């Protein structure tokens, strides 16, 4: 039957199918090694811009494949280019390498026991977001493509990126933006850039994507409220920045609830830190709040920031103090190019079956993969990582100390990315 089917196909389709088969077979044989890479990286996590061991592992594996990796990009990033034996387009495939300041609570035999320092605080270090899986999968895809190098049309850049989770210190250049600034595409200009992310919100075996906006932009904001220090028993002699900070924070929620059309586009404004004072009976002279703003539309983002400025200044002025707001954009919204998304979805369905490809809702987490859209059209998809039998709605989500990745997702994700890459490279 297979011979008959090949006889009915045009020569170009037979060639493409044969190429895919060679790469897919190579990838299947690599699965145990992909699992071992993932476990090794998981047990030895490194925070952003400190991925020294991970970068060495990546570079060593790429050299073993006969590639010539470039290292030290954006401090610890690694790239390598595979030139196929046939003419074709240029693409880039990206994986992020950094871990999070999270103390692992999974109980895995290869669980992280690593500790470190993050913004002056001692922390545990864990691959709580699945970047260990991303690195392992991209190494697998690279190996599979090298296996069919002579028949491969086009060229592929493999991008192993540091510091996706953000800069060591607020406001610093980092990750994708810094790799681009340092010229990773100066001599290699891709026609498309592809990325993926394991996702606890989907069961293993499923992948999810959508056209257009996929993930939110991420702004890190810092609000500094200045008051006047006084004794806690005599608040009228000073200006209480804690009360002012609380009033401003509550006022920002009115911005979202009453001033923004959230039926048109979601907006999230959250405070994650509120720091002030050193003693129970002293009203301090300053309070600092730090948080995040998530939006999907640049115009809405700017409107909310402007309203935040006015709200902060008005509340502070009413109470006799002052307020300063600083907003730093860590990542713009991740947007799948519509034409590329259509092609990418077809590839995912070809690799996994149409029933295993789902339409994702808007996701309010952010990804600095969005930075690559300044260089070429991008396509990004999610790979389910929660074991069958566990409800993804209640499973520990990415960034949780209990985040537990089903390693079957490594096979699913690498197979899906391989198909996406091969289909694009083989298309006229």
């Amino acid at each position: 039957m297979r011979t008959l089917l090949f006889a009915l196909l045009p020569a170009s389709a037979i060639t493409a199918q044969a190429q895919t088969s060679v790469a897919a077979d190579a990838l299947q044989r690599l699965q145990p090694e992909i699992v071992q890479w993932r476990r090794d990286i998981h047990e030895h996590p490194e925070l952003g811009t400190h991925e020294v061991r991970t970068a060495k592992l990546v570079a060593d594996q790429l050299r073993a494949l006969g590639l010539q990796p470039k290292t030290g990009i954006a401090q610890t990033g690694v790239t390598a280019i595979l030139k196929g034996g046939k003419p074709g387009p240029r693409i880039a495939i990206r994986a992020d390498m950094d871990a999070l300041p999270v103390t692992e609570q999974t109980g895995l035999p290869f669980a992280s026991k690593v500790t470190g320092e993050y913004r002056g605080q001692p922390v545990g270090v864990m691959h709580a977001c699945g970047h260990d899986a991303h690195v392992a999968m991209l190494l697998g895809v690279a190996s599979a493509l090298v296996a069919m190098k002579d028949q491969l049309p086009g060229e592929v850049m493999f991008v192993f990126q540091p510091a996706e989770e953000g800069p060591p210190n607020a406001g610093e250049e980092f990750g994708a933006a810094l790799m681009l600034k340092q010229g990773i595409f100066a001599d290699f200009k891709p026609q498309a850039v592809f990325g993926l992310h394991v996702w606890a919100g989907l069961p293993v075996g499923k992948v999810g994507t959508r056209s257009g906006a996929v993930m939110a932009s991420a702004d890190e904001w810092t609000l500094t409220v200045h008051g006047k220090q006084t004794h806690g028993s005599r608040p009228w002699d000073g200006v209480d920045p804690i009360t002012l900070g609380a009033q401003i924070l509550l006022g920002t929620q009115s911005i979202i609830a009453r001033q923004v059309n959230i039926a048109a586009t979601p907006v999230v404004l959250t405070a994650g830190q509120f720091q002030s004072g050193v003693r129970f009976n002293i009203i301090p002279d300053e309070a600092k709040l730090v948080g995040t703003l998530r939006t999907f539309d640049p115009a809405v983002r700017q409107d909310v920031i402007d309203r935040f400025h006015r709200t902060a200044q008005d509340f502070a002025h009413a109470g006799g103090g002052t307020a300063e707001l600083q907003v730093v954009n860590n990542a713009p919204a991740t947007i799948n190019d519509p034409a590329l998304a259509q092609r990418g979805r077809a590839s995912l369905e070809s690799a996994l079956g149409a029933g295993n490809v789902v339409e994702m809702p808007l996701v309010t987490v952010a990804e600095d993969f969005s930075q690559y859209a300044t260089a070429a059209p991008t396509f990004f998809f999610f790979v389910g990582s929660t074991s069958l039998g566990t409800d993804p709605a209640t499973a520990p989500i990415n960034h949780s100390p209990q985040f537990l990745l089903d390693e079957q997702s490594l096979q699913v994700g690498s197979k899906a990315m391989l198909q996406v890459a091969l289909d694009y490279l083989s298309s006229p």
Side-chain angles (χ1 to χ4, degrees):
M1 177 63 73
R2 186 175 182 182
T3 302
L4 176 60
L5 289 174
F6 271 95
L8 296 174
L9 291 170
S12 60
I14 294 172
T15 301
Q17 286 194 7
Q19 292 169 354
T20 301
S21 179
V22 169
D25 289 346
L27 185 64
Q28 182 62 39
R29 291 192 298 271
L30 279 164
Q31 288 306 313
E33 198 164 0
I34 292 173
V35 170
Q36 287 306 117
W37 286 330
R38 181 259 166 169
R39 292 184 179 185
D40 184 355
I41 297 168
H42 188 90
E43 191 171 359
H44 302 92
E46 296 166 303
L47 295 173
T49 72
H50 293 85
E51 307 95 334
V52 176
R53 184 184 185 278
T54 307
K56 182 179 185 304
L57 183 153
V58 166
D60 288 346
Q61 293 299 328
L62 294 173
R63 290 191 189 97
L65 293 174
L67 302 177
Q68 298 178 339
K70 293 183 179 180
T71 61
I73 308 165
Q75 297 191 45
T76 50
V78 182
T79 64
I81 297 172
L82 170 62
K83 294 185 178 182
K86 298 181 179 182
R90 284 178 163 179
I91 65 170
I93 311 174
R94 173 270 206 168
D96 37 10
M97 302 188 294
D98 55 325
L100 284 161
V102 173
T103 301
E104 184 159 357
Q105 299 174 13
T106 63
L108 291 169
F110 51 90
S112 167
K113 298 179 176 62
V114 175
T115 59
E117 183 177 293
Y118 180 73
R119 299 192 179 184
Q121 300 293 321
V123 292
V125 183
M126 176 191 174
H127 271 293
C129 203
H131 296 183
D132 52 338
H134 302 169
V135 174
M137 285 189 280
L138 185 52
L139 286 174
V141 170
S143 301
L145 292 174
V146 167
M148 57 167 292
K149 175 181 177 181
D150 293 343
Q151 293 77 40
L152 184 70
E155 302 177 41
V156 183
M157 176 184 282
F158 306 107
V159 179
F160 294 86
Q161 179 203 305
E164 185 280 326
E165 297 291 354
N169 297 294
E172 293 181 351
E173 292 181 303
F174 70 99
L178 188 54
M179 291 192 87
L180 289 166
K181 182 178 180 179
Q182 293 185 0
I184 62 167
F185 295 151
D187 299 318
F188 181 99
K189 300 187 184 301
Q191 290 158 259
V193 184
F194 301 108
L196 59 73
H197 207 298
V198 294
W199 190 242
L202 289 173
V204 68
K206 303 286 187 182
V207 298
T209 190
R210 61 183 286 127
S211 178
V214 181
M215 287 181 287
S217 66
D219 288 288
E220 183 173 346
W221 56 264
T222 301
L223 175 69
T224 305
V225 182
H226 301 283
K228 179 182 177 182
Q229 185 165 314
T230 186
H231 198 287
S233 67
R234 296 178 60 84
W236 50 85
D237 287 336
V239 175
D240 186 352
I242 297 177
T243 299
L244 292 179
Q247 290 173 332
I248 294 169
L249 183 59
L250 291 174
T252 64
Q253 298 311 298
S254 294
I255 295 173
I256 308 306
R258 292 293 179 267
Q259 300 174 39
V260 176
N261 182 1
I262 57 173
T265 178
V267 177
V268 176
L269 197 154
T270 296
Q273 294 174 273
F274 195 143
Q275 301 170 339
S276 187
V278 295
R279 184 174 165 82
F280 76 99
N281 64 346
I282 298 176
I283 292 174
D285 58 6
E286 183 179 284
K288 180 175 288 187
L289 291 82
V290 182
T292 186
L293 170 65
R294 303 299 170 105
T295 56
F296 293 90
D297 183 295
V300 172
R301 170 186 176 269
Q302 189 58 54
D303 179 60
V304 171
I305 292 172
D306 291 343
R307 292 176 186 274
F308 195 167
H309 273 288
R310 290 197 299 271
T311 298
Q313 291 169 358
D314 289 350
F315 270 107
H317 182 261
T322 60
E324 300 168 1
L325 177 66
Q326 293 181 318
V327 181
V328 176
N329 184 251
N330 287 338
T334 299
I335 299 175
N336 277 343
D337 176 81
L340 195 58
Q342 184 177 9
R343 295 175 64 175
R345 188 182 185 101
S347 296
L348 296 177
E349 291 177 351
S350 175
L352 306 173
N356 290 317
V357 182
V358 302
E359 182 77 6
M360 289 292 291
L362 290 172
V363 178
T364 52
V365 301
E367 245 280 1
D368 80 341
F369 177 81
S370 56
Q371 300 283 359
Y372 297 108
T374 62
T378 55
F379 176 65
F380 195 84
F381 62 95
F382 295 89
V383 178
S385 63
T386 293
S387 297
L388 299 179
T390 300
D391 184 357
T394 59
I397 198 168
N398 302 60
H399 286 220
S400 164
Q402 292 94 29
F403 173 71
L404 196 60
L405 177 135
D406 188 317
E407 290 181 332
Q408 289 298 314
S409 64
L410 300 172
Q411 181 174 0
V412 174
S414 56
K415 181 180 180 180
M417 181 59 82
L418 179 64
Q419 189 75 50
V420 167
L422 285 174
D423 285 352
Y424 190 92
L425 292 168
S426 301
S427 297

